[in-house]
Amino acid sequence: MSEETTEKETFERALRSLEEAVELLEEGELPLEEALACFERGVRSAGRCRKVLQAVDTRVEVLLKDRDGALNVSEFKEE
Amino acid sequence: MHQPLPHLTVSRLCALMREVLEDNFAQVVVDGEISNFTAASSGHCYFCLKDENAQVRAVLFRAQARALRFRPENGMRVTAFGRLSLYTQRGEVQLIADDLQPLGVGELQFAFEQLKARLAAEGFFDPSRKRPLPPYPGTVGVVTSASGAAIHDILTVLKRRQTGIRVLLRPVRVQGEGAAAEISAAIADLNRHGEADVLIVGRGGGSLEDLWAFNEESTARAIFASAIPVISAVGHEVDVTIADLVADLRAATPSAAAEIVAKGRLELESHLDHLILRLCGRMNDRLTLLRERVAGLERRLRSPRQMVSQWRERQSELERRLVRAMAHAHREKEGRLRALAGRLDALSPLNTLSRGYSIAFAQKSGKAVTDASALSPGDRLCIRFSSGSARATVEEIEP
């Protein structure tokens, strides 16, 4: 669970960081060294986003509730 | 004449009346308008059925009231199915209703319109509360039957689109008694679980009766309360369901809902591609510009020593050009002189004289004589030969 959340958060944070980097660069007012640092940040964020989006297979799981109301995830087999 | 009547207690009278009523009106079907409707905290409903000229008291007990899909209201015209009895404590005739049906419209249609109006008043369908789908649809929670067409269609689309989206199915019954409660609980469960970025709530097509769970208040409230954006996907063509109206987005079918989610993911990929292109493009542009500017400045940047040596070079070049130009001019003049001298030589009469010709000049005018008639006897001539000259006097003229 925590892994999923982390992946999602990582992605959203990385995407935001990438968008910010692009906007900053496009404003064109950064001094060169800051612009280069910003560019590098953008490239790193883009790499993180790419990594998350690489998966293409559809994973199918089923969320079941046990008697105590606890939720458990297991693999789903289509009937 | 007068046979004395037996005295009855009130209770006895009422018991008799009740017996008569219950025996003779064990089943009645009455059309009328509801008035004085009261839903008691016990769950029983009390009201009057009336027309222009008369009215009768009626009761709908808890179990039957709960089974109704619409809510009875004052002024509503209904058909009541039930029996007559006597409310003995007050000695009043009472219609005990087993079921009510709205007059004129189907019960389901009526219940639908009623719930729709009520939820609309509560702001459930307010466009301003429709949320956008999440930017990163990594996990999609699905509330539907594990064995129905809906989950099959959703998985088919997502697998074909190769989006890498994770599907988290919360299986429920989608029709029949209790379906709405299961659907509502499932939406709440997925919210509690917290991994889904978007929910698809739906089922394949069916009759209005089959789709009813999606027109129930509990389903509507669960969708409204969901912190995760909800796509409704009830496969039907004619009408919308209440679930469709409350959901953040309505898809016509489960497949369409899956397409929407997949599209979000593909758009995200394209957005990312675009951002990367913009990032690199902007940096490249900037570096190219800078490189050009630096090169330009470099060209313009010179030390004084360089400038002296450049002047020196320029000076010696000019010198070389000057010398070259002078030499050229000299050679040219020399050539012209030689050419002119040659032509002068060719034109000189001295050459002709050397072949034995001579020129006579009139002494008076000093001009060469070309016509004898211009002379007179006695004129003095100077005759020029190739070498030397002689003076002579004209004796006779032969024209």
Side-chain angles (χ1 to χ4, degrees):
Chain A
M1 172 162 177
S2 63
E3 194 187 313
E4 280 302 323
T5 313
T6 309
E7 185 186 83
K8 184 164 89 190
E9 280 177 359
T10 303
F11 180 85
E12 284 177 356
R13 228 185 358 253
L15 186 66
R16 240 189 334 271
S17 153
L18 174 58
E19 282 169 338
E20 281 164 10
V22 171
E23 275 163 26
L24 267 174
L25 280 181
E26 291 190 341
E27 276 168 23
E29 282 165 12
L30 286 183
L32 181 61
E33 282 196 13
E34 280 174 44
L36 279 170
C38 175
F39 173 71
E40 276 173 22
R41 257 196 327 275
V43 169
R44 272 199 304 277
S45 302
R48 276 199 286 274
C49 291
R50 276 248 165 279
K51 209 176 134 207
V52 176
L53 288 187
Q54 252 164 9
V56 292
D57 292 332
T58 303
R59 192 151 48 109
V60 187
E61 291 167 334
V62 59
L63 183 67
L64 295 172
K65 195 155 53 166
D66 66 20
R67 251 182 242 127
D68 307 325
L71 296 166
N72 296 301
V73 174
S74 56
E75 199 185 335
F76 175 68
K77 292 267 182 258
E78 213 178 328
E79 286 161 34
Chain B
M1 284 290 283
H2 283 281
Q3 210 175 338
L5 285 169
H7 288 223
L8 298 174
T9 62
V10 176
S11 295
R12 180 64 192 140
L13 177 64
C14 284
L16 287 171
M17 282 163 64
R18 181 179 179 142
E19 209 171 288
V20 171
L21 281 171
E22 290 187 349
D23 285 351
N24 291 285
F25 300 94
Q27 271 192 323
V28 289
V29 179
V30 187
D31 292 346
E33 186 187 312
I34 293 175
S35 69
N36 292 327
F37 184 87
T38 310
S41 57
S42 61
H44 307 321
C45 298
Y46 303 96
F47 55 98
C48 287
L49 271 184
K50 65 170 189 178
D51 59 19
E52 298 78 32
N53 305 311
Q55 61 176 13
V56 62
R57 299 187 67 86
V59 60
L60 186 70
F61 288 119
R62 183 164 52 224
Q64 286 74 29
R66 235 179 241 153
L68 287 187
R69 278 165 165 156
F70 67 98
R71 285 190 181 184
E73 289 168 1
N74 287 333
M76 185 183 291
R77 287 178 51 71
V78 294
T79 301
F81 299 81
R83 61 198 163 87
L84 287 188
S85 185
L86 192 79
Y87 181 41
T88 44
Q89 283 87 340
R90 300 189 57 140
E92 284 177 356
V93 175
Q94 177 169 259
L95 171 68
I96 299 174
D98 296 321
D99 192 15
L100 295 181
Q101 283 180 9
L103 262 174
V105 282
E107 182 195 14
L108 292 181
Q109 194 55 43
F110 193 85
F112 176 87
E113 294 301 338
Q114 250 188 344
L115 180 59
K116 185 173 156 187
R118 201 163 64 240
L119 295 181
E122 284 189 52
F124 271 46
F125 313 141
D126 199 340
S128 69
R129 71 163 294 279
K130 304 283 181 200
R131 290 159 300 186
L133 297 187
Y136 172 52
T139 297
V140 52
V142 179
V143 176
T144 191
S145 160
S147 55
I151 186 65
H152 174 79
D153 292 350
I154 288 170
L155 293 182
T156 303
V157 168
L158 291 183
K159 284 174 180 168
R160 189 176 64 235
R161 294 281 177 224
Q162 295 209 319
T163 54
I165 290 172
R166 171 179 174 235
V167 175
L168 193 54
L169 170 68
R170 180 78 186 89
V172 292
R173 286 182 298 136
V174 291
Q175 67 189 70
E177 189 76 21
E182 283 192 24
I183 293 168
S184 320
I187 293 169
D189 288 343
L190 281 162
N191 270 278
R192 188 154 59 92
H193 190 240
E195 287 179 17
D197 303 299
V198 59
L199 302 184
I200 297 176
V201 177
R203 54 157 293 152
S207 66
L208 184 56
E209 187 80 35
D210 291 339
L211 306 179
W212 196 250
F214 296 90
N215 280 327
E216 289 199 44
E217 186 165 350
S218 63
T219 304
R221 293 203 178 272
I223 293 174
F224 188 75
S226 175
I228 305 170
V230 174
I231 303 176
S232 71
V234 183
H236 54 93
E237 284 165 17
V238 197
D239 282 318
V240 294
T241 62
I242 296 288
D244 289 326
L245 296 171
V246 186
D248 295 288
L249 195 66
R250 177 201 175 190
T253 61
S255 299
E259 292 285 5
I260 289 167
V261 171
K263 185 162 155 271
R265 168 65 177 245
L266 296 174
E267 274 173 4
L268 180 64
E269 286 180 26
S270 131
H271 177 54
L272 182 61
D273 287 343
H274 215 76
L275 282 175
I276 292 173
L277 284 176
R278 273 164 70 190
L279 183 76
C280 296
R282 191 47 60 146
M283 204 61 220
N284 269 343
D285 287 354
R286 180 144 184 197
L287 287 177
T288 306
L289 273 177
L290 278 173
R291 252 181 238 120
E292 277 168 11
R293 215 171 125 201
V294 168
L297 287 171
E298 247 174 15
R299 273 194 300 277
R300 284 163 57 192
L301 182 70
R302 294 189 189 116
S303 76
R305 192 176 300 165
Q306 255 184 320
M307 284 165 80
V308 170
S309 84
Q310 267 184 348
W311 286 334
R312 209 171 271 147
E313 257 174 45
R314 174 106 181 118
Q315 183 207 358
S316 56
E317 197 204 326
L318 285 172
E319 245 176 40
R320 275 197 303 281
R321 278 170 61 190
L322 183 66
V323 170
R324 217 170 30 239
M326 289 290 289
H328 184 73
H330 188 221
R331 271 199 305 282
E332 198 178 342
K333 295 257 158 45
E334 235 178 24
R336 265 187 75 195
L337 186 61
R338 258 200 300 279
L340 285 174
R343 279 168 66 193
L344 195 61
D345 212 32
L347 291 174
S348 168
L350 296 176
N351 268 343
T352 313
L353 299 183
S354 67
R355 295 205 301 272
Y357 294 91
S358 50
I359 309 165
F361 293 95
Q363 198 164 8
K364 258 194 282 187
S365 62
K367 287 183 176 167
V369 180
T370 55
D371 188 352
S373 57
L375 296 172
S376 320
D379 282 350
R380 307 263 316 159
L381 295 173
C382 179
I383 300 170
R384 170 80 200 238
F385 304 97
S386 176
S387 175
S389 57
R391 295 191 190 279
T393 307
V394 177
E395 286 181 1
E396 192 181 355
I397 292 157
E398 290 170 3

